Amino acid sequence: MSKVPVVAVVACMIPEMGIGFQGKLPWRLATEMKYFKEVTSTTKDPTKVNAVVMGRKTWESIPPRFRPLPNRINMVVSRQPRAQLHLDDQVYSTSSLSQGIEHLNTNFGERLERIYIIGGAEIYSQSYELVDHWLVTKIQPLPESQVPEMDTHLDPQRLALTFKERSLDELSQFLPQTSVPIVNPIEEKGFHYWFTLYTNQ
Ligand code: NDP
């Protein structure tokens, strides 16, 4: 059975690679959110669907009215029994990231286009050996802006260890059609940010 590509998606503040604060995102960037939504929802093949896999804390950080994330198969990783998670029927749960990926391949194989790993830090830290690509939005405050408070970070070394950054052209080819222009950098609310693609070397 051929395996579906697994893609981690993250937005992080460089250089410290901060991704969260008090269980939430440290910023509100509408265009970045739109990029995330469109990339993870849209497929190149209209007969297929994508899956999003996330840790239990990231699931809980999504306001209930916005979850499950629409037009995507949602899967939550947790060590707790499913009954304790109060998930809707259409949301899948798994007791490990690798089992979750296996389950999606077995049950949706031909219908699935990509599996997106969407966080948080604990799940990303277990993803390096399992993913083929990383979509990383690199954020920086503009010179007049403050660095936001952050308490959750990615390991700044690990990505560069086994993944190679690709060009903007390669990123554009990799992405499905989006209404967000793939130009770098984008400026929004005191920050500028760059969309990037890393692929397993
Ligand atoms: P996670 O979302 O990674 O969830 C952690 C939970 O996942 C654990 O408590 C456990 O659930 C479950 N889990 C983790 N590893 C395993 C395993 N091996 N087997 C079974 N279950 C496992 O939490 P974090 O606190 O690390 O990250 C959340 C933060 O990240 C928030 O601030 C959020 O806003 C941010 N974030 C940022 C993103 C960005 O792009 N900037 C994207 C996504 C999140 P349980 O306790 O139920 O057993």
Side-chain angles (χ1 to χ4, degrees):
M1 181 184 61
S2 70
K3 301 249 167 153
V4 174
V6 182
V7 184
V9 193
V10 66
C12 62
M13 188 68 57
I14 54 168
E16 53 280 86
M17 305 291 264
I19 66 161
F21 183 62
Q22 295 184 342
K24 301 201 175 92
L25 294 177
W27 48 77
R28 274 187 93 77
L29 299 171
T31 306
E32 212 287 320
M33 284 301 287
K34 196 168 183 199
Y35 170 81
F36 168 81
K37 181 182 173 189
E38 291 190 11
V39 168
T40 57
S41 309
T42 314
T43 52
K44 293 190 179 195
D45 177 343
T47 67
K48 295 194 175 188
V49 66
N50 295 321
V52 286
V53 181
M54 71 201 94
R56 191 262 306 163
K57 291 182 184 171
T58 292
W59 167 261
E60 287 179 356
S61 79
I62 303 171
R65 67 185 185 284
F66 293 131
R67 66 190 200 214
L69 298 181
N71 306 317
R72 289 149 281 185
I73 297 162
N74 283 230
M75 178 174 270
V76 176
V77 188
S78 173
R79 296 184 183 88
Q80 301 176 54
R82 184 181 168 91
Q84 277 177 32
L85 298 173
H86 307 292
L87 299 174
D88 310 356
D89 284 348
Q90 74 267 37
V91 177
Y92 294 83
S93 59
T94 181
S95 58
S96 83
L97 188 55
S98 53
Q99 267 182 36
I101 292 170
E102 192 70 40
H103 177 89
L104 289 167
N105 270 296
T106 308
N107 289 278
F108 297 97
E110 294 304 306
R111 280 188 52 217
L112 258 192
E113 187 161 291
R114 288 176 180 165
I115 296 171
Y116 286 102
I117 310 290
I118 63 164
E122 230 187 293
I123 296 300
Y124 291 134
S125 74
Q126 299 163 46
S127 297
Y128 294 92
E129 284 79 28
L130 300 172
V131 314
D132 307 295
H133 310 273
W134 283 78
L135 287 170
V136 182
T137 304
K138 297 177 180 173
I139 310 173
Q140 267 193 327
L142 289 168
E144 68 275 15
S145 305
Q146 302 266 323
V147 179
E149 275 196 272
M150 296 175 284
D151 58 16
T152 311
H153 295 77
L154 291 189
D155 180 338
Q157 317 293 342
R158 280 198 67 191
L159 186 63
L161 225 54
T162 37
F163 292 82
K164 185 174 181 307
E165 186 171 349
R166 304 293 166 179
S167 67
L168 193 61
D169 261 5
E170 288 169 296
L171 167 64
S172 299
Q173 283 166 34
F174 179 79
L175 294 174
Q177 192 75 38
T178 61
S179 70
V180 176
I182 306 304
V183 289
N184 281 335
I186 290 184
E187 212 173 292
E188 191 179 354
K189 282 200 191 146
F191 297 100
H192 47 179
Y193 51 89
W194 291 257
F195 299 127
T196 70
L197 168 69
Y198 285 75
T199 298
N200 218 328
Q201 311 204 33

